[in-house]
Amino acid sequence: MATTVTADAPAAAAPAKPPAAPVKQREGYAANAFAHIFLAVWGLLVTIPLIWAVIQSFKTDDEIIHDPLGLPEQWLFGAFGRAWTKGNIGEFFLNTMIVLLGSVTLTMLFGAMAAYVLARYPFRGNRAVYWMFVAGLTLPIYLGILPLFLLVQDMSKALGLEEVIGLNTHLGLILVYVAYSMPFTVFFLHAFFRTLPTTIAEAASVDGAGHVRLFFQVMMPMAKPGLISIGIFNVIGQWNQFLLPTVLMKDSDKKMLTQGLLELATNARYETDFARLFAGMTIAMLPILAVYLGFHRQVQSGLTGATLK
């Protein structure tokens, strides 16, 4: 018997079309490519001037003036010796290291203690104290420079410690650096301490650890990535500080490195020793570059630790 095909029979299925590339995936590739291009351009804008400045320190003054973009015909190292001795960069470098060692140490100690208490111990006025530290981030240093100068001058006189913590003293500048760096240090570490697990702290308390032992032996090691990160930020910020030492440190034998570089730039106009100026800039840059290159992984882990925990 012959079979008949009715008009109501379903039509043959059309061949499936290959799926188009997802729009979101293409947008992701474009955003990723733009981010890499932007970072590459930004890296070149930062790196090229640094490399150029380092190269100038190996040239003669004639080469710096007439061929600033070329390489030196002969790599000379004498400018570094002149900058270190005749330019007094060695003395300024030592003064900066003394102040930095004391200020960063005290900033990390007091900042970590304040942030830990504010993050882990609820008490009346906790948020008020925290927001007072945060408010310190909003005050431009230029607005407070005159009251700061008068405060250091008058307080040291009232205490009879003008030779210890007054103007033109290393300890006085150290205390000012500590006060200047505390708001951001507390703000950063407060968020980091809040992410640390409470179970370990509770277990240590059950085992008989007091508040001091709990902080130094349990919580501080756990917060190591955050401490390293904020420590690097404080080192860079205080190393490059110019306004505070310019106002508070007038004695020529106690000036900081940034003040010394300004003196080199001023003297270079009259002594025409531009290679010495660039050598001084190179000496000032190398320690910061070495610190960051040595700890950049810890800085990255500290910045992402609060997000990942």
Side-chain angles (χ1 to χ4, degrees):
M1 180 183 299
T3 58
T4 59
V5 179
T6 62
D8 296 334
K17 296 182 179 180
V23 177
K24 291 184 178 181
Q25 187 176 7
R26 293 198 300 268
E27 293 178 352
Y29 289 150
N32 192 23
F34 175 77
H36 281 78
I37 294 174
F38 176 79
L39 291 176
V41 173
W42 182 268
L44 291 175
L45 291 175
V46 174
T47 305
I48 291 177
L50 296 180
I51 297 176
W52 179 83
V54 173
I55 292 175
Q56 305 310 304
S57 60
F58 296 96
K59 293 182 177 182
T60 63
D61 288 340
D62 185 69
E63 290 176 331
I64 293 174
I65 295 173
H66 296 96
D67 189 16
L69 300 180
L71 295 175
E73 295 182 2
Q74 184 179 0
W75 294 81
L76 304 174
F77 295 86
F80 291 93
R82 297 195 304 273
W84 190 264
T85 56
K86 188 177 179 181
N88 297 323
I89 289 296
E91 182 179 355
F92 300 142
F93 190 93
L94 179 60
N95 292 336
T96 304
M97 290 298 298
I98 293 174
V99 172
L100 199 70
L101 181 62
S103 60
V104 172
T105 301
L106 294 179
T107 299
M108 296 303 300
L109 177 62
F110 295 151
M113 294 170 65
Y116 171 72
V117 171
L118 293 174
R120 312 290 294 198
Y121 293 92
F123 57 89
R124 181 177 297 179
N126 181 299
R127 300 305 296 173
V129 175
Y130 170 73
W131 286 112
M132 286 178 63
F133 279 109
V134 175
L137 296 172
T138 65
L139 178 65
I141 188 62
Y142 300 98
L143 296 181
I145 196 65
L146 178 58
L148 177 64
F149 177 86
L150 297 176
L151 177 65
V152 173
Q153 184 181 44
D154 297 342
M155 181 176 291
S156 60
K157 286 183 178 180
L159 297 175
L161 299 174
E162 293 180 83
E163 301 297 329
V164 180
I165 61 173
L167 301 175
N168 300 313
T169 61
H170 286 156
L171 183 55
L173 188 60
I174 288 173
L175 296 178
V176 172
Y177 275 9
V178 172
Y180 172 77
S181 304
M182 279 290 287
F184 182 66
T185 302
V186 173
F187 173 76
F188 185 93
L189 292 179
H190 179 272
F192 200 89
F193 276 120
R194 288 179 64 89
T195 64
L196 298 180
T198 59
T199 54
I200 298 178
E202 293 174 352
S205 299
V206 171
D207 291 339
H211 296 296
V212 176
R213 183 180 176 186
L214 177 63
F215 173 70
F216 284 104
Q217 297 186 2
V218 179
M219 304 306 293
M220 286 276 282
M222 293 174 61
K224 181 180 177 180
L227 293 173
I228 292 177
S229 298
I230 192 61
I232 296 300
F233 290 142
N234 284 327
V235 168
I236 295 175
Q238 296 179 15
W239 182 272
N240 295 326
Q241 182 59 239
F242 174 73
L243 181 61
L244 292 177
T246 300
V247 174
L248 302 176
M249 194 71 70
K250 296 295 185 181
D251 290 349
S252 58
D253 59 336
K254 295 182 180 180
K255 288 184 177 181
M256 298 295 104
L257 190 56
T258 51
Q259 297 172 282
L261 291 178
L262 180 61
E263 288 188 2
L264 276 181
T266 303
N267 295 334
R269 302 176 184 176
Y270 307 101
E271 300 180 10
T272 62
D273 194 352
F274 298 107
R276 186 180 66 181
L277 172 60
F278 285 108
M281 294 171 57
T282 302
I283 294 173
M285 289 189 298
L286 287 180
I288 297 300
L289 292 176
V291 168
Y292 180 77
L293 293 177
F295 295 96
H296 71 280
R297 294 187 182 275
Q298 290 84 347
V299 172
Q300 293 173 0
S301 63
L303 291 175
T304 58
T307 304
L308 300 178
K309 290 177 181 279

